[in-house]
Amino acid sequence: MRPASFVKSRKLMEKARKLIPGGTNSGARSTITRGLYEGFKVNMPAFIERGKGSHLFDVDGNEWIDYIMGFGPVILGHANPAVVRAVKDQAEKGTVFAANTELELKLSEKLTEHISSAEQVLLTNSGSDATSIALRIARAQTGRQKVLKFEGHYHGWHDWDMVGNTAAVFGTFARGMGQRTLMADGIAESALNDAIVLPWNNPELLEKTMKMHGDEIAAVFTEGYQSNFGVMPPEKGYLELMRKLTKDHGVIFVMDEVITGFRLGLGGAQEYFNIKPDLSTFSKAMANGFTIAAVTGTTELMEPVAEDRIYIAGTFNGSSVPVAASLATIKELEKRSYEDYFALGKSIMKGIQDGFTDSHVPGVVQGPGSMFSVFFTDKDKIAFTRDVYSIPQHPHIRRSAIFYQELVDRGVLVSPARYGRMYLSFAHGKQDADRTIEACQAAIKATKQIS
Ligand code: PMP
Protein backbone atom coordinates (compact mmCIF):
# COMPACT_ATOMS: atom_id res chain seq x y z
CA MET A 1 0.00 0.00 0.00
CA ARG A 2 1.32 3.45 -0.78
CA PRO A 3 0.55 6.47 1.36
CA ALA A 4 -0.74 9.39 -0.69
CA SER A 5 -0.16 12.95 0.40
CA PHE A 6 -2.94 15.49 -0.13
CA VAL A 7 -1.23 18.58 1.30
CA LYS A 8 -1.63 20.78 -1.77
CA SER A 9 -5.16 19.51 -2.48
CA ARG A 10 -6.21 20.47 1.06
CA LYS A 11 -4.64 23.91 0.81
CA LEU A 12 -6.39 24.59 -2.47
CA MET A 13 -9.66 23.34 -1.01
CA GLU A 14 -9.42 25.99 1.73
CA LYS A 15 -9.14 28.61 -0.98
CA ALA A 16 -11.95 27.01 -2.98
CA ARG A 17 -14.29 27.22 0.00
CA LYS A 18 -13.78 31.00 0.02
CA LEU A 19 -14.25 31.47 -3.71
CA ILE A 20 -16.78 28.86 -4.77
CA PRO A 21 -19.99 28.12 -2.85
CA GLY A 22 -19.34 24.94 -0.90
CA GLY A 23 -15.94 24.66 -2.59
CA THR A 24 -17.19 22.98 -5.77
CA ASN A 25 -19.08 23.87 -8.90
CA SER A 26 -21.20 20.70 -8.78
CA GLY A 27 -23.11 19.27 -5.84
CA ALA A 28 -22.41 15.82 -7.30
CA ARG A 29 -18.80 16.26 -6.16
CA SER A 30 -19.69 16.86 -2.54
CA THR A 31 -17.67 13.89 -1.28
CA ILE A 32 -14.45 15.64 -2.25
CA THR A 33 -15.43 18.92 -0.69
CA ARG A 34 -16.61 17.37 2.52
CA GLY A 35 -14.00 14.61 2.67
CA LEU A 36 -16.94 12.54 3.84
CA TYR A 37 -18.39 9.36 2.43
CA GLU A 38 -21.72 8.37 3.97
CA GLY A 39 -20.69 10.12 7.15
CA PHE A 40 -17.23 8.49 7.22
CA LYS A 41 -14.07 10.50 6.75
CA VAL A 42 -12.22 9.83 3.51
CA ASN A 43 -8.91 11.07 2.19
CA MET A 44 -9.03 11.67 -1.50
CA PRO A 45 -7.55 13.93 -4.15
CA ALA A 46 -9.67 17.06 -4.51
CA PHE A 47 -7.58 18.84 -7.15
CA ILE A 48 -6.45 17.15 -10.34
CA GLU A 49 -3.66 18.53 -12.50
CA ARG A 50 -4.08 16.42 -15.62
CA GLY A 51 -5.29 13.14 -17.04
CA LYS A 52 -3.82 10.87 -19.70
CA GLY A 53 -5.58 7.76 -20.93
CA SER A 54 -6.90 5.81 -17.95
CA HIS A 55 -4.72 7.66 -15.43
CA LEU A 56 -5.10 10.86 -13.43
CA PHE A 57 -2.36 12.96 -11.87
CA ASP A 58 -3.30 15.17 -8.93
CA VAL A 59 -1.72 18.40 -7.72
CA ASP A 60 0.27 16.55 -5.05
CA GLY A 61 1.99 14.40 -7.71
CA ASN A 62 -0.04 11.25 -6.98
CA GLU A 63 -1.02 9.04 -9.92
CA TRP A 64 -4.32 7.18 -10.06
CA ILE A 65 -6.05 4.56 -12.16
CA ASP A 66 -9.26 6.40 -12.79
CA TYR A 67 -12.67 4.70 -12.73
CA ILE A 68 -14.61 7.91 -12.22
CA MET A 69 -13.71 9.23 -15.68
CA GLY A 70 -15.39 12.57 -15.00
CA PHE A 71 -18.57 10.69 -13.92
CA GLY A 72 -18.78 9.00 -17.31
CA PRO A 73 -17.91 11.28 -20.21
CA VAL A 74 -14.30 10.27 -20.80
CA ILE A 75 -14.98 7.06 -22.72
CA LEU A 76 -11.85 7.11 -24.87
CA GLY A 77 -9.55 8.05 -22.01
CA HIS A 78 -8.27 11.44 -20.90
CA ALA A 79 -6.83 13.72 -23.59
CA ASN A 80 -7.49 11.34 -26.46
CA PRO A 81 -5.21 12.56 -29.31
CA ALA A 82 -7.85 12.40 -32.09
CA VAL A 83 -10.34 14.41 -30.04
CA VAL A 84 -7.72 16.94 -28.93
CA ARG A 85 -6.67 17.44 -32.56
CA ALA A 86 -10.27 17.99 -33.70
CA VAL A 87 -10.83 20.51 -30.90
CA LYS A 88 -7.66 22.45 -31.68
CA ASP A 89 -8.45 22.55 -35.40
CA GLN A 90 -11.97 23.80 -34.81
CA ALA A 91 -10.97 26.35 -32.14
CA GLU A 92 -8.71 27.99 -34.71
CA LYS A 93 -11.67 28.41 -37.05
CA GLY A 94 -13.94 30.01 -34.44
CA THR A 95 -16.44 28.74 -31.93
CA VAL A 96 -20.00 30.18 -32.05
CA PHE A 97 -21.50 31.94 -35.04
CA ALA A 98 -25.24 32.25 -34.35
CA ALA A 99 -25.76 30.36 -37.60
CA ASN A 100 -25.56 26.72 -38.58
CA THR A 101 -22.36 24.89 -39.43
CA GLU A 102 -22.02 21.82 -41.61
CA LEU A 103 -20.42 20.12 -38.63
CA GLU A 104 -23.82 20.11 -36.91
CA LEU A 105 -25.30 18.31 -39.89
CA LYS A 106 -22.50 15.76 -39.88
CA LEU A 107 -22.99 15.05 -36.20
CA SER A 108 -26.78 14.85 -36.52
CA GLU A 109 -26.36 12.44 -39.41
CA LYS A 110 -24.02 10.28 -37.31
CA LEU A 111 -26.50 10.20 -34.45
CA THR A 112 -29.39 9.21 -36.69
CA GLU A 113 -27.17 6.50 -38.21
CA HIS A 114 -26.38 4.93 -34.86
CA ILE A 115 -29.48 5.57 -32.75
CA SER A 116 -32.36 3.51 -34.03
CA SER A 117 -35.16 5.78 -32.76
CA ALA A 118 -33.51 9.01 -33.96
CA GLU A 119 -34.97 10.72 -37.01
CA GLN A 120 -34.18 14.25 -35.87
CA VAL A 121 -31.58 15.64 -33.47
CA LEU A 122 -31.51 18.76 -31.34
CA LEU A 123 -28.10 19.65 -29.93
CA THR A 124 -27.73 21.32 -26.58
CA ASN A 125 -25.21 21.52 -23.73
CA SER A 126 -25.85 19.27 -20.75
CA GLY A 127 -27.84 16.25 -19.67
CA SER A 128 -30.14 18.52 -17.66
CA ASP A 129 -30.74 20.67 -20.74
CA ALA A 130 -31.57 17.60 -22.80
CA THR A 131 -34.04 16.11 -20.32
CA SER A 132 -35.68 19.54 -19.81
CA ILE A 133 -36.15 19.83 -23.55
CA ALA A 134 -37.53 16.30 -23.81
CA LEU A 135 -40.13 17.02 -21.13
CA ARG A 136 -41.10 20.29 -22.77
CA ILE A 137 -41.66 18.51 -26.09
CA ALA A 138 -43.65 15.78 -24.32
CA ARG A 139 -45.84 18.33 -22.55
CA ALA A 140 -46.42 20.31 -25.70
CA GLN A 141 -47.30 17.21 -27.69
CA THR A 142 -49.63 15.65 -25.13
CA GLY A 143 -51.11 18.74 -23.47
CA ARG A 144 -50.39 17.04 -20.13
CA GLN A 145 -48.22 18.14 -17.22
CA LYS A 146 -47.02 15.20 -15.17
CA VAL A 147 -43.85 13.17 -15.44
CA LEU A 148 -43.48 9.62 -14.20
CA LYS A 149 -39.97 8.64 -13.14
CA PHE A 150 -38.17 6.14 -10.96
CA GLU A 151 -36.39 6.05 -7.62
CA GLY A 152 -32.64 6.27 -7.96
CA HIS A 153 -32.81 7.42 -11.57
CA TYR A 154 -31.36 10.87 -12.08
CA HIS A 155 -32.26 13.18 -14.93
CA GLY A 156 -30.79 16.50 -13.82
CA TRP A 157 -31.02 19.25 -11.27
CA HIS A 158 -34.26 20.83 -12.47
CA ASP A 159 -37.26 21.07 -10.14
CA TRP A 160 -39.22 18.07 -11.44
CA ASP A 161 -36.30 15.72 -10.85
CA MET A 162 -35.66 16.96 -7.33
CA VAL A 163 -38.67 15.06 -6.02
CA GLY A 164 -38.03 11.86 -4.12
CA ASN A 165 -35.05 10.65 -6.06
CA THR A 166 -31.64 11.04 -4.61
CA ALA A 167 -29.53 10.82 -1.54
CA ALA A 168 -26.74 13.08 -2.67
CA VAL A 169 -27.79 16.39 -1.19
CA PHE A 170 -26.23 17.35 2.11
CA GLY A 171 -24.54 13.95 2.22
CA THR A 172 -27.70 12.67 3.87
CA PHE A 173 -28.77 9.14 3.38
CA ALA A 174 -31.62 8.52 0.99
CA ARG A 175 -33.41 11.67 2.01
CA GLY A 176 -36.94 11.36 0.76
CA MET A 177 -36.13 8.57 -1.67
CA GLY A 178 -39.37 7.49 -3.30
CA GLN A 179 -41.49 9.89 -1.29
CA ARG A 180 -43.30 13.00 -2.35
CA THR A 181 -40.52 15.04 -0.86
CA LEU A 182 -38.49 17.94 -2.24
CA MET A 183 -34.88 16.92 -1.85
CA ALA A 184 -33.43 20.36 -1.14
CA ASP A 185 -34.33 23.98 -0.55
CA GLY A 186 -35.17 26.33 -3.39
CA ILE A 187 -37.33 23.96 -5.41
CA ALA A 188 -40.78 25.02 -6.60
CA GLU A 189 -43.42 23.26 -4.52
CA SER A 190 -45.39 22.70 -7.72
CA ALA A 191 -42.80 20.02 -8.55
CA LEU A 192 -44.58 17.80 -6.04
CA ASN A 193 -47.62 17.82 -8.31
CA ASP A 194 -45.57 17.39 -11.45
CA ALA A 195 -43.70 14.22 -10.58
CA ILE A 196 -44.86 10.70 -9.85
CA VAL A 197 -42.00 8.58 -8.49
CA LEU A 198 -42.13 4.77 -8.59
CA PRO A 199 -39.67 2.07 -7.63
CA TRP A 200 -38.06 0.62 -10.76
CA ASN A 201 -38.48 -2.94 -11.98
CA ASN A 202 -41.96 -3.23 -10.48
CA PRO A 203 -44.32 -4.06 -13.38
CA GLU A 204 -47.48 -4.28 -11.26
CA LEU A 205 -47.03 -0.81 -9.81
CA LEU A 206 -46.25 0.64 -13.21
CA GLU A 207 -49.35 -0.92 -14.73
CA LYS A 208 -51.56 0.26 -11.87
CA THR A 209 -50.18 3.80 -11.96
CA MET A 210 -50.59 4.08 -15.71
CA LYS A 211 -54.15 2.86 -15.39
CA MET A 212 -54.95 5.43 -12.68
CA HIS A 213 -52.96 8.43 -13.95
CA GLY A 214 -52.03 7.65 -17.57
CA ASP A 215 -54.19 10.43 -18.97
CA GLU A 216 -52.40 13.05 -16.83
CA ILE A 217 -48.87 11.92 -17.67
CA ALA A 218 -46.93 13.63 -20.44
CA ALA A 219 -43.84 11.45 -20.24
CA VAL A 220 -42.30 8.44 -18.60
CA PHE A 221 -38.58 8.98 -18.05
CA THR A 222 -36.33 6.01 -17.49
CA GLU A 223 -32.66 5.22 -17.68
CA GLY A 224 -32.36 2.23 -20.03
CA TYR A 225 -29.91 0.44 -17.75
CA GLN A 226 -30.12 2.10 -14.35
CA SER A 227 -26.77 3.70 -13.71
CA ASN A 228 -27.35 6.34 -11.04
CA PHE A 229 -27.54 5.05 -7.47
CA GLY A 230 -26.31 1.65 -8.50
CA VAL A 231 -25.88 -0.05 -11.83
CA MET A 232 -28.85 -2.38 -12.35
CA PRO A 233 -30.42 -3.87 -15.44
CA PRO A 234 -34.12 -3.83 -16.25
CA GLU A 235 -35.82 -7.12 -15.39
CA LYS A 236 -36.83 -9.20 -18.38
CA GLY A 237 -39.85 -7.67 -20.10
CA TYR A 238 -39.92 -4.50 -17.99
CA LEU A 239 -38.87 -2.01 -20.69
CA GLU A 240 -41.13 -3.79 -23.17
CA LEU A 241 -44.04 -3.34 -20.76
CA MET A 242 -43.12 0.34 -20.35
CA ARG A 243 -43.10 0.72 -24.13
CA LYS A 244 -46.51 -0.91 -24.43
CA LEU A 245 -48.15 1.00 -21.58
CA THR A 246 -46.85 4.38 -22.77
CA LYS A 247 -48.21 3.67 -26.24
CA ASP A 248 -51.59 2.51 -24.87
CA HIS A 249 -51.97 5.64 -22.75
CA GLY A 250 -50.61 8.18 -25.23
CA VAL A 251 -47.62 8.92 -23.00
CA ILE A 252 -44.22 9.90 -24.46
CA PHE A 253 -41.57 7.32 -23.59
CA VAL A 254 -38.26 9.07 -22.92
CA MET A 255 -35.16 6.95 -22.57
CA ASP A 256 -32.53 8.94 -20.75
CA GLU A 257 -29.28 7.73 -22.29
CA VAL A 258 -27.10 10.45 -20.76
CA ILE A 259 -24.98 7.69 -19.21
CA THR A 260 -25.78 4.67 -21.39
CA GLY A 261 -25.35 6.47 -24.73
CA PHE A 262 -22.15 5.22 -26.42
CA ARG A 263 -21.33 3.27 -23.25
CA LEU A 264 -23.57 0.29 -23.97
CA GLY A 265 -22.62 0.46 -27.64
CA LEU A 266 -22.91 3.08 -30.37
CA GLY A 267 -26.68 2.57 -30.36
CA GLY A 268 -27.01 2.99 -26.59
CA ALA A 269 -29.33 1.12 -24.23
CA GLN A 270 -32.11 1.15 -26.82
CA GLU A 271 -29.98 -0.98 -29.13
CA TYR A 272 -28.71 -3.13 -26.24
CA PHE A 273 -32.27 -3.97 -25.19
CA ASN A 274 -33.93 -3.56 -28.60
CA ILE A 275 -36.48 -0.99 -27.42
CA LYS A 276 -37.63 2.02 -29.43
CA PRO A 277 -38.40 5.04 -27.23
CA ASP A 278 -40.18 8.14 -28.55
CA LEU A 279 -37.50 10.55 -27.37
CA SER A 280 -33.97 9.96 -26.10
CA THR A 281 -31.41 12.11 -24.37
CA PHE A 282 -27.63 11.82 -24.71
CA SER A 283 -24.71 13.68 -23.26
CA LYS A 284 -21.83 12.30 -21.24
CA ALA A 285 -19.84 9.98 -23.51
CA MET A 286 -20.80 11.83 -26.70
CA ALA A 287 -17.73 14.05 -26.87
CA ASN A 288 -15.16 12.44 -24.57
CA GLY A 289 -15.46 15.20 -21.98
CA PHE A 290 -16.57 18.23 -23.99
CA THR A 291 -19.83 19.94 -23.13
CA ILE A 292 -22.58 18.74 -25.41
CA ALA A 293 -25.92 16.94 -25.29
CA ALA A 294 -28.60 15.82 -27.71
CA VAL A 295 -32.30 15.11 -27.76
CA THR A 296 -33.35 12.72 -30.49
CA GLY A 297 -36.72 11.43 -31.60
CA THR A 298 -39.19 11.02 -34.38
CA THR A 299 -39.74 13.84 -36.85
CA GLU A 300 -43.40 13.88 -35.87
CA LEU A 301 -42.53 14.70 -32.26
CA MET A 302 -39.53 16.92 -32.87
CA GLU A 303 -40.66 18.98 -35.88
CA PRO A 304 -42.86 21.49 -33.99
CA VAL A 305 -39.70 22.72 -32.26
CA ALA A 306 -38.60 24.17 -35.58
CA GLU A 307 -42.00 25.78 -36.10
CA ASP A 308 -41.62 27.69 -32.83
CA ARG A 309 -44.77 26.16 -31.43
CA ILE A 310 -42.41 24.75 -28.85
CA TYR A 311 -39.76 27.23 -27.81
CA ILE A 312 -36.28 25.94 -27.18
CA ALA A 313 -33.15 28.01 -27.51
CA GLY A 314 -29.56 28.19 -26.38
CA THR A 315 -26.66 30.45 -27.30
CA PHE A 316 -24.28 27.52 -27.20
CA ASN A 317 -26.56 24.86 -28.70
CA GLY A 318 -24.56 23.17 -31.44
CA SER A 319 -21.46 25.32 -30.88
CA SER A 320 -18.58 24.21 -33.02
CA VAL A 321 -15.85 23.00 -30.69
CA PRO A 322 -17.96 20.46 -28.75
CA VAL A 323 -19.59 19.37 -32.00
CA ALA A 324 -16.14 18.75 -33.51
CA ALA A 325 -15.16 16.87 -30.34
CA SER A 326 -18.29 14.74 -30.57
CA LEU A 327 -17.74 13.87 -34.22
CA ALA A 328 -14.15 12.89 -33.51
CA THR A 329 -15.24 10.82 -30.49
CA ILE A 330 -17.89 8.90 -32.40
CA LYS A 331 -15.52 8.30 -35.34
CA GLU A 332 -12.95 6.91 -32.88
CA LEU A 333 -15.57 4.73 -31.20
CA GLU A 334 -16.57 3.32 -34.60
CA LYS A 335 -13.02 1.95 -34.93
CA ARG A 336 -12.96 0.29 -31.50
CA SER A 337 -14.13 -3.15 -30.39
CA TYR A 338 -16.94 -2.88 -27.86
CA GLU A 339 -16.61 -6.65 -27.44
CA ASP A 340 -13.05 -6.30 -26.08
CA TYR A 341 -14.10 -3.30 -24.01
CA PHE A 342 -16.94 -5.20 -22.33
CA ALA A 343 -14.72 -8.25 -21.88
CA LEU A 344 -12.08 -6.25 -20.01
CA GLY A 345 -14.77 -4.83 -17.74
CA LYS A 346 -16.24 -8.27 -17.12
CA SER A 347 -12.79 -9.58 -16.18
CA ILE A 348 -12.45 -6.85 -13.55
CA MET A 349 -15.97 -7.56 -12.29
CA LYS A 350 -15.13 -11.26 -11.97
CA GLY A 351 -11.91 -10.46 -10.09
CA ILE A 352 -13.84 -8.31 -7.60
CA GLN A 353 -16.58 -10.92 -7.21
CA ASP A 354 -13.87 -13.53 -6.55
CA GLY A 355 -12.54 -11.18 -3.87
CA PHE A 356 -15.92 -11.29 -2.12
CA THR A 357 -16.06 -15.07 -2.36
CA ASP A 358 -12.47 -15.64 -1.21
CA SER A 359 -12.78 -13.25 1.72
CA HIS A 360 -16.24 -14.51 2.73
CA VAL A 361 -17.60 -10.98 2.61
CA PRO A 362 -21.12 -10.72 1.15
CA GLY A 363 -21.25 -8.63 -2.00
CA VAL A 364 -22.36 -8.37 -5.60
CA VAL A 365 -20.71 -6.81 -8.64
CA GLN A 366 -23.23 -5.84 -11.26
CA GLY A 367 -23.27 -4.16 -14.68
CA PRO A 368 -22.72 -4.62 -18.37
CA GLY A 369 -18.91 -4.38 -18.14
CA SER A 370 -18.38 -0.86 -19.50
CA MET A 371 -19.64 0.28 -16.09
CA PHE A 372 -20.51 -1.60 -12.94
CA SER A 373 -21.33 -1.23 -9.26
CA VAL A 374 -19.78 -2.97 -6.30
CA PHE A 375 -22.51 -3.58 -3.73
CA PHE A 376 -21.85 -4.69 -0.19
CA THR A 377 -25.03 -6.67 0.35
CA ASP A 378 -26.44 -10.04 1.37
CA LYS A 379 -28.61 -10.17 -1.74
CA ASP A 380 -27.73 -12.15 -4.87
CA LYS A 381 -28.62 -9.26 -7.12
CA ILE A 382 -29.77 -5.67 -6.81
CA ALA A 383 -32.96 -5.03 -8.76
CA PHE A 384 -33.87 -1.55 -7.57
CA THR A 385 -32.44 1.18 -5.42
CA ARG A 386 -34.34 0.23 -2.29
CA ASP A 387 -32.48 -3.08 -2.29
CA VAL A 388 -29.48 -1.18 -0.99
CA TYR A 389 -31.39 0.96 1.48
CA SER A 390 -30.11 0.72 4.98
CA ILE A 391 -29.35 2.82 7.98
CA PRO A 392 -26.06 4.74 7.75
CA GLN A 393 -24.21 2.68 10.33
CA HIS A 394 -25.13 -0.68 8.84
CA PRO A 395 -22.08 -2.99 8.51
CA HIS A 396 -22.49 -3.04 4.72
CA ILE A 397 -22.11 0.72 4.57
CA ARG A 398 -19.15 0.70 6.92
CA ARG A 399 -17.54 -2.00 4.79
CA SER A 400 -18.10 0.00 1.62
CA ALA A 401 -16.48 3.05 3.26
CA ILE A 402 -13.41 0.99 4.13
CA PHE A 403 -13.38 -0.51 0.62
CA TYR A 404 -13.41 2.95 -0.88
CA GLN A 405 -10.63 4.32 1.31
CA GLU A 406 -8.48 1.21 0.84
CA LEU A 407 -8.77 1.64 -2.93
CA VAL A 408 -7.71 5.28 -2.69
CA ASP A 409 -4.73 4.18 -0.61
CA ARG A 410 -3.86 1.69 -3.36
CA GLY A 411 -4.00 4.23 -6.18
CA VAL A 412 -7.42 3.33 -7.58
CA LEU A 413 -10.18 5.93 -7.81
CA VAL A 414 -13.81 4.83 -7.91
CA SER A 415 -16.93 6.90 -7.51
CA PRO A 416 -17.20 7.35 -3.74
CA ALA A 417 -20.80 6.34 -3.29
CA ARG A 418 -22.49 3.19 -2.18
CA TYR A 419 -24.70 3.47 -5.19
CA GLY A 420 -21.83 4.59 -7.34
CA ARG A 421 -20.23 2.98 -10.28
CA MET A 422 -16.92 2.22 -11.85
CA TYR A 423 -16.62 3.59 -15.37
CA LEU A 424 -14.26 1.88 -17.76
CA SER A 425 -12.77 3.69 -20.75
CA PHE A 426 -11.32 2.31 -23.95
CA ALA A 427 -7.93 3.45 -22.62
CA HIS A 428 -7.98 1.02 -19.69
CA GLY A 429 -5.77 -1.97 -20.38
CA LYS A 430 -4.87 -5.38 -18.99
CA GLN A 431 -2.24 -3.89 -16.69
CA ASP A 432 -4.80 -1.51 -15.18
CA ALA A 433 -7.24 -4.39 -14.81
CA ASP A 434 -4.71 -6.61 -13.02
CA ARG A 435 -3.71 -3.83 -10.61
CA THR A 436 -7.36 -2.97 -9.99
CA ILE A 437 -8.36 -6.55 -9.22
CA GLU A 438 -5.45 -6.91 -6.84
CA ALA A 439 -6.36 -3.64 -5.10
CA CYS A 440 -10.07 -4.53 -4.88
CA GLN A 441 -9.38 -7.98 -3.47
CA ALA A 442 -7.09 -6.53 -0.81
CA ALA A 443 -9.64 -3.79 -0.04
CA ILE A 444 -12.43 -6.34 0.36
CA LYS A 445 -10.22 -8.37 2.68
CA ALA A 446 -9.68 -5.23 4.77
CA THR A 447 -13.43 -4.82 5.24
CA LYS A 448 -13.49 -8.04 7.27
CA GLN A 449 -12.64 -5.93 10.32
CA ILE A 450 -16.35 -4.96 10.31
CA SER A 451 -18.61 -7.71 11.54
N1 PMP B 1 -29.50 12.04 -16.95
C1 PMP B 1 -28.69 11.11 -16.43
C2 PMP B 1 -29.04 9.65 -16.62
C3 PMP B 1 -27.56 11.47 -15.70
O1 PMP B 1 -26.78 10.53 -15.14
C4 PMP B 1 -27.26 12.85 -15.54
C5 PMP B 1 -26.03 13.33 -14.80
N2 PMP B 1 -25.41 12.43 -13.99
C6 PMP B 1 -28.12 13.78 -16.12
C7 PMP B 1 -29.23 13.35 -16.83
C8 PMP B 1 -27.86 15.25 -15.98
O2 PMP B 1 -26.76 15.58 -16.75
P1 PMP B 1 -25.90 16.90 -16.45
O3 PMP B 1 -25.17 16.66 -15.18
O4 PMP B 1 -24.97 16.99 -17.64
O5 PMP B 1 -26.84 18.03 -16.39
Side-chain angles (χ1 to χ4, degrees):
M1 200 187 306
R2 64 183 204 152
S5 151
F6 299 115
V7 175
K8 195 164 174 198
S9 251
R10 290 216 180 92
K11 220 175 190 145
L12 288 171
M13 190 48 85
E14 277 169 31
K15 194 168 175 183
R17 283 208 183 85
K18 289 192 189 123
L19 290 168
I20 303 170
T24 176
N25 283 304
S26 169
R29 301 176 204 150
S30 64
T31 305
I32 57 166
T33 50
R34 288 169 214 282
L36 275 180
Y37 162 89
E38 304 258 5
F40 299 97
K41 250 189 128 29
V42 292
N43 284 314
M44 61 183 298
F47 278 80
I48 301 300
E49 196 163 85
R50 67 190 174 90
K52 185 68 200 154
S54 56
H55 287 223
L56 279 184
F57 302 84
D58 71 18
V59 291
D60 286 286
N62 303 304
E63 182 176 350
W64 310 92
I65 308 178
D66 185 13
Y67 290 95
I68 304 178
M69 302 312 281
F71 287 147
V74 192
I75 192 158
L76 289 167
H78 295 284
N80 173 270
V83 179
V84 170
R85 205 175 318 118
V87 164
K88 277 186 178 160
D89 287 351
Q90 187 54 44
E92 285 186 357
K93 294 180 193 159
T95 52
V96 272
F97 310 113
N100 290 344
T101 62
E102 278 189 67
L103 276 180
E104 289 168 77
L105 298 186
K106 283 187 185 158
L107 178 57
S108 304
E109 229 158 34
K110 271 266 170 260
L111 294 176
T112 57
E113 237 172 67
H114 287 302
I115 298 154
S116 62
S117 67
E119 292 170 8
Q120 289 204 337
V121 177
L122 188 96
L123 295 175
T124 186
N125 305 297
S126 71
S128 298
D129 278 356
T131 51
S132 300
I133 290 168
L135 181 56
R136 177 162 297 178
I137 293 173
R139 282 177 166 158
Q141 297 288 32
T142 59
R144 302 169 183 170
Q145 281 297 302
K146 286 192 196 298
V147 54
L148 190 158
K149 62 196 193 76
F150 300 96
E151 290 171 19
H153 291 214
Y154 177 76
H155 305 295
W157 64 274
H158 25 59
D159 286 355
W160 58 267
D161 203 39
M162 296 289 99
V163 180
N165 80 336
T166 171
V169 165
F170 313 131
T172 54
F173 178 72
R175 172 176 160 171
M177 178 84 75
Q179 297 166 27
R180 291 186 74 249
T181 309
L182 298 176
M183 61 162 275
D185 293 346
I187 296 158
E189 280 177 20
S190 56
L192 288 170
N193 291 324
D194 289 343
I196 300 174
V197 191
L198 294 183
W200 206 46
N201 271 335
N202 185 327
E204 292 79 26
L205 216 47
L206 180 63
E207 211 152 5
K208 212 162 122 186
T209 308
M210 290 294 274
K211 211 178 214 169
M212 282 172 66
H213 299 288
D215 61 354
E216 303 163 61
I217 298 170
V220 170
F221 272 72
T222 189
E223 296 180 29
Y225 199 124
Q226 184 177 336
S227 320
N228 283 289
F229 295 90
V231 176
M232 43 196 109
E235 301 272 292
K236 211 169 158 30
Y238 187 60
L239 291 178
E240 287 79 358
L241 176 71
M242 206 178 286
R243 177 61 283 185
K244 179 183 179 310
L245 290 172
T246 45
K247 205 168 250 169
D248 290 352
H249 291 274
V251 173
I252 308 295
F253 181 7
V254 185
M255 191 173 280
D256 183 352
E257 298 239 37
V258 165
I259 287 179
T260 51
F262 306 96
R263 182 160 292 281
L264 293 193
L266 283 160
Q270 53 200 273
E271 179 184 57
Y272 194 86
F273 293 117
N274 192 25
I275 292 285
K276 212 166 186 170
D278 299 312
L279 296 174
S280 311
T281 51
F282 296 85
S283 182
K284 293 193 189 237
M286 246 179 104
N288 205 46
F290 286 84
T291 314
I292 194 166
V295 184
T296 67
T298 57
T299 303
E300 189 191 354
L301 279 178
M302 305 273 289
E303 188 61 15
V305 173
E307 292 165 358
D308 274 357
R309 184 166 74 74
I310 306 170
Y311 186 72
I312 286 153
T315 304
F316 293 107
N317 285 6
S319 75
S320 301
V321 171
V323 170
S326 184
L327 260 176
T329 301
I330 296 172
K331 281 183 188 165
E332 272 307 296
L333 289 172
E334 286 168 346
K335 294 184 212 157
R336 308 300 178 99
S337 159
Y338 273 83
E339 208 174 296
D340 294 349
Y341 174 49
F342 278 62
L344 187 72
K346 293 256 180 200
S347 75
I348 301 174
M349 290 170 67
K350 181 179 179 310
I352 303 173
Q353 192 68 62
D354 287 347
F356 278 121
T357 310
D358 296 346
S359 293
H360 305 287
V361 173
V364 167
V365 190
Q366 210 169 270
S370 52
M371 62 177 174
F372 48 89
S373 278
V374 179
F375 296 107
F376 285 77
T377 175
D378 292 308
K379 293 184 183 288
D380 296 334
K381 67 169 185 183
I382 300 297
F384 73 132
T385 307
R386 283 190 201 192
D387 276 346
V388 272
Y389 260 43
S390 205
I391 51 166
Q393 295 302 319
H394 191 283
H396 290 324
I397 320 299
R398 284 156 59 211
R399 283 190 197 119
S400 75
I402 290 170
F403 176 73
Y404 174 68
Q405 185 65 65
E406 289 279 330
L407 285 185
V408 172
D409 293 346
R410 288 175 165 78
V412 176
L413 280 188
V414 307
S415 218
R418 185 183 344 157
Y419 308 114
R421 3 170 228 279
M422 289 172 81
Y423 284 118
L424 205 70
S425 77
F426 280 87
H428 286 82
K430 174 91 172 62
Q431 219 179 352
D432 292 326
D434 290 345
R435 269 190 56 197
T436 303
I437 292 168
E438 198 183 314
C440 287
Q441 291 184 346
I444 290 170
K445 201 176 244 173
T447 69
K448 280 173 76 88
Q449 60 187 278
I450 302 295
S451 55

